[in-house]
Amino acid sequence: MSDLPHRLRDALQHADFSYDSVADLLGPTAHSALSRNETLPGRRRTHGGSPLETLIRLFLLQTTVSLDHAEAALPGLVDRLAVEGILEQSVGEVAARLDVRPYATDDTSLWVVSDLTPGLDGGPQRVGPEHVLGISPASTSLAQLTIRDQVGRALDLGTGCGVQALHLATHSDRVVATDVNQRALWITTFNAALNDVADRIDVRNGSFFEPVAGERFDLIATNPPFVISPATGERLVYRDSGLPGDRVVEDIVRAAPGMLTEGGWCQILGNWIISEDQPWDDRLEGWLGDDVDAFVVQREVLDPAAYVELWLKDSGHHGAQDYLTRYDTWLSWFEEQKIEGVGFGWINLHRRGGTQGSPKRELLEWPYDVEQPIAPALAAWGDAARVEVTEDSTLVLVEDIQQETLGQPGAEDPSTVILRQQRGLRRARQADTIEAAFAGACDGDLTVGQILDALAQILDRDPAVVRSSYLPIAQELVSEGFLRPAPATPGPAA
């Protein structure tokens, strides 16, 4: 690729075209309006003609700017950007043909090129079949759940505009980014150069795992085209796989373990069918092989009508002449397939070692607020999945756990005790007296067996019964992130 991405980066830096600067200039009202695809408040804030205001108007508000202002913000680049299809020129005016957007997380600042955002100010929502989606709630969700440990090789499967590959490049020696959309591959390549990580991102053309057959990765992150619909042949590449139902997610779940190194993770954002005759967790568990631990979290469920409406609006068909026909066809297919709902959430697969016992599984329905980014909690789940609690184990209470008690005012003892996480998934579980006392006593000094024996003595219970009853509960408390193994004590110096 030419030096254009590097020269564009220099111009963006010189104009201070960053997420924070844009937010500061627009102010909270206009910035919030822009997140709702409304540009007028932003236009009212950007009449000064500075390079930053010009770039905001050009790329984010999608309004024309004068050629003089464009040249001042992008010195020596307007003609070349027009040749590459990023800008277009008319007499004395310049408009954007692609979106260039600053993007930031707690530890990453990027610029992301994509197709223009459709539907600004209530305009047409329709997009072409090879539309390259920019930053979206789905891409942000995947970025927040992707574990950021340093790894050797990572795979961004179905890269789109390349935003996941850009994230992966911050903590991977090498990233492979694949897609079937040629425009997406060009944009990803441009974005890699724009963010100065082109030497770490290998962009490949092909469907799903075909471009990386026979290779292994330490981390796979994917937001596949997971929309559940009949395979009609008419599709938007960024959201429709061309496969019926939830087959695309199933195929990835079944194939991914064979692409992972030992200890590697595959993290998938997806939809799945909730059928009339099978619970959702039974359906997904049937996709899982014996070579992975799996933590699946169902975050949301939509009924068929709400789901079809969502995606018909996304594709710009809401209000179109054939809207009701498309709606009816899609709903009829759902009925034929006995689909009563669609689940949305995270599938996290952790490749186990060959001698690590039976696979650990948790399929959890969790529509509640969680701490973001959630990735550290998912990594902690993976670590806990390999912990076997015995009577000789020493455990400690995780630092963020708080105890809540409920009961009648003035009562001697609470009727209910709740252990609640303040971080991560923010789980809560009801505990009886022994469980709560056991958790509170876990400080790494005494073994599980010693604590349970002490509680049995205090409460005048049979120690053998207490051990047999509460050892499995201790395992649950570790698996769910309330307790963790105590740090190893260093041995005496030689």
Side-chain angles (χ1 to χ4, degrees):
M1 182 166 282
S2 70
D3 66 346
L4 180 59
H6 299 92
R7 293 185 61 193
L8 177 58
R9 181 175 70 247
D10 290 343
L12 300 179
Q13 288 176 330
H14 189 264
D16 196 19
F17 189 54
S18 65
Y19 181 89
D20 288 341
S21 294
V22 169
D24 288 344
L25 191 150
L26 289 178
T29 299
H31 196 246
S32 178
L34 184 57
S35 72
R36 302 189 300 271
N37 285 355
E38 298 291 342
T39 70
L40 182 61
R43 295 186 189 207
R44 291 166 59 92
R45 299 273 300 183
T46 53
H47 285 302
S50 70
L52 178 57
E53 289 170 295
T54 297
L55 294 175
I56 291 172
R57 292 178 70 84
L58 185 62
F59 291 120
L60 306 186
L61 305 179
Q62 294 182 25
T63 187
T64 57
V65 301
S66 71
L67 178 59
D68 289 344
H69 284 163
E71 289 283 10
L74 301 164
L77 292 176
V78 173
D79 288 342
R80 290 194 60 189
L81 290 170
V83 169
E84 292 292 340
I86 296 172
L87 299 178
E88 62 180 355
Q89 294 187 66
S90 58
V91 179
E93 288 187 329
V94 177
R97 292 180 62 192
L98 290 177
D99 186 301
V100 180
R101 185 170 299 261
Y103 166 73
T105 63
D106 289 342
D107 54 3
T108 304
S109 294
L110 304 168
W111 294 284
V112 179
V113 175
S114 66
D115 275 325
L116 294 173
T117 302
L120 291 186
D121 301 315
Q125 187 77 17
R126 297 294 290 270
V127 298
E130 293 190 341
H131 180 79
V132 178
L133 190 67
I135 306 299
S136 68
S139 61
T140 301
S141 294
L142 179 58
Q144 290 171 327
L145 69 91
T146 302
I147 295 169
R148 299 298 173 195
D149 293 343
Q150 188 68 35
V151 297
R153 302 189 77 231
L155 172 62
D156 176 11
L157 188 71
T159 189
C161 69
V163 64
Q164 306 303 329
L166 297 177
H167 276 293
L168 292 169
T170 66
H171 61 102
S172 308
D173 296 335
R174 191 71 174 165
V175 180
V176 177
T178 69
D179 211 293
V180 295
N181 185 346
Q182 289 289 349
R183 294 191 68 253
L185 297 174
W186 181 87
I187 287 176
T188 294
T189 301
F190 192 97
N191 280 329
L194 179 63
N195 290 280
D196 203 23
V197 291
D199 59 332
R200 296 203 294 280
I201 298 179
D202 177 9
V203 179
R204 301 185 192 177
N205 179 30
S207 178
F208 298 108
F209 291 113
E210 290 176 3
V212 293
E215 301 180 41
R216 295 287 183 103
F217 297 90
D218 306 302
L219 176 61
I220 300 171
T222 180
N223 173 22
F226 55 64
V227 174
I228 294 173
S229 63
T232 61
E234 178 190 9
R235 65 187 181 115
L236 301 176
V237 175
Y238 76 89
R239 65 167 223 191
D240 301 314
S241 69
L243 299 174
D246 52 14
R247 174 73 178 277
V248 62
V249 177
E250 178 183 356
D251 286 355
I252 292 172
V253 169
R254 291 185 183 278
M259 311 298 296
L260 291 173
T261 58
E262 186 173 316
W265 285 88
C266 176
Q267 299 186 270
I268 307 163
L269 196 73
N271 277 176
W272 44 80
I273 287 170
I274 301 174
S275 66
E276 296 176 2
D277 52 6
Q278 184 181 29
W280 75 271
D281 47 351
D282 284 356
R283 178 181 181 82
L284 268 66
E285 190 154 13
W287 300 349
L288 302 171
D290 293 336
D291 46 358
V292 287
D293 296 329
F295 186 29
V296 182
V297 183
Q298 181 164 274
R299 295 285 290 152
E300 183 180 9
V301 175
L302 289 180
D303 64 67
Y307 188 79
V308 173
E309 290 163 15
L310 170 69
W311 291 110
L312 284 177
K313 290 175 182 176
D314 173 81
S315 61
H317 287 102
H318 190 248
Q321 186 175 1
D322 60 350
Y323 173 70
L324 292 178
T325 300
R326 289 175 178 272
Y327 195 166
D328 186 59
T329 299
W330 205 335
L331 278 185
S332 296
W333 181 80
F334 270 41
E335 291 172 1
E336 292 167 4
Q337 300 298 314
K338 297 183 177 180
I339 297 171
E340 65 178 16
V342 176
F344 170 82
W346 319 322
I347 301 175
N348 302 280
L349 309 176
H350 191 202
R351 179 69 186 257
R352 307 181 311 108
T355 60
Q356 290 186 315
S358 59
K360 299 297 190 294
R361 301 282 159 75
E362 184 172 4
L363 291 91
L364 175 69
E365 186 158 7
W366 198 252
Y368 313 108
D369 286 341
V370 300
E371 180 188 31
Q372 294 291 4
I374 193 62
L378 301 179
W381 182 93
D383 293 338
R386 305 269 42 96
V387 175
E388 182 179 355
V389 177
T390 69
E391 294 179 358
D392 295 326
S393 300
T394 54
L395 305 174
V396 294
L397 189 68
V398 174
E399 293 80 359
D400 67 296
I401 306 303
Q402 292 188 0
Q403 178 177 298
E404 301 173 4
T405 57
L406 302 174
Q408 291 294 323
E412 184 174 346
D413 295 311
S415 59
T416 305
V417 177
I418 303 292
L419 302 179
R420 189 180 301 278
Q421 299 169 349
Q422 306 303 304
R423 305 194 63 186
L425 283 168
R426 297 177 175 144
R427 298 201 216 209
R429 61 178 284 152
Q430 186 170 332
D432 64 16
T433 301
I434 293 180
E435 181 177 339
F438 171 77
C442 287
D443 60 5
D445 289 337
L446 300 177
T447 67
V448 168
Q450 289 170 330
I451 295 173
L452 292 176
D453 286 348
L455 291 172
Q457 184 176 6
I458 292 170
L459 298 171
D460 195 24
R461 304 279 187 90
D462 183 339
V465 172
V466 170
R467 285 193 180 211
S468 63
S469 298
Y470 285 89
L471 188 61
I473 290 176
Q475 181 73 64
E476 290 178 11
L477 288 167
V478 171
S479 299
E480 294 178 7
F482 292 88
L483 299 174
R484 57 180 172 79
T489 303

